[in-house]
Amino acid sequence: MDNHKIYKTSFASVYPHYITKAEKKGRTKEEVDLIILWLTGYDQTTLTNLINDKTDFETFFNNAPLLNPNVHKITGVICGYRVEDIEHPLMQKIRYLDKLIDELAKGKSMDKILRT
């Protein structure tokens, strides 16, 4: 899949996969939501509306109120790429989220995931 298709993919179409991944490892939808809210600055009501509206990833991240100031602390490999080295800003944000969900599924504590 090329990047343009990823950006235009509905966030709502991927969101259930985040939840499934987390729940298979004993984590919760609430923890997934907390990660998304921490990363983007959205509130729960807005997140629900964005999902219901089938907002694409590009719009989802471009309209995010505030990317968390600790986002630079998200490092490591996801999908074969080091997240801190991804040059395209939108792709980097998408991979940040992927990385955080991976950490949740791998059993990391929320304190570590949210870089507190």
Side-chain angles (χ1 to χ4, degrees):
M1 182 181 284
D2 67 31
N3 288 349
H4 183 71
K5 286 182 183 177
I6 292 170
Y7 304 151
K8 293 302 177 187
T9 298
S10 154
F11 176 78
S13 70
V14 178
Y15 177 72
H17 298 287
Y18 294 146
I19 294 170
T20 299
K21 184 174 192 170
E23 288 178 343
K24 281 183 179 179
K25 298 295 185 169
R27 304 307 287 261
T28 66
K29 174 193 176 297
E30 290 75 22
E31 289 174 309
V32 171
D33 286 357
L34 181 60
I35 287 168
I36 295 167
L37 302 179
W38 175 88
L39 179 64
T40 63
Y42 286 120
D43 59 35
Q44 188 65 53
T45 301
T46 305
L47 175 61
T48 301
N49 291 339
L50 291 166
I51 292 166
N52 291 339
D53 292 345
K54 298 184 180 1
T55 302
D56 62 53
F57 270 103
E58 184 172 30
T59 304
F60 180 83
F61 278 109
N62 286 344
N63 292 343
L66 177 65
L67 198 62
N68 192 286
N70 286 330
V71 74
H72 68 278
K73 295 180 180 180
I74 302 170
T75 60
V77 177
I78 187 75
C79 299
Y81 297 96
R82 294 202 67 77
V83 292
E84 61 270 28
D85 295 338
I86 296 172
E87 292 184 13
H88 192 283
L90 179 56
M91 180 54 72
Q92 188 175 47
K93 291 172 191 170
I94 293 168
R95 296 304 181 204
Y96 281 151
L97 181 53
D98 291 343
K99 180 69 175 163
L100 295 174
I101 299 300
D102 262 12
E103 290 176 358
L104 180 67
K106 288 180 179 175
K108 276 196 174 183
S109 71
M110 287 302 288
D111 285 347
K112 288 184 180 180
I113 295 168
L114 302 181
R115 280 41 183 189
T116 55

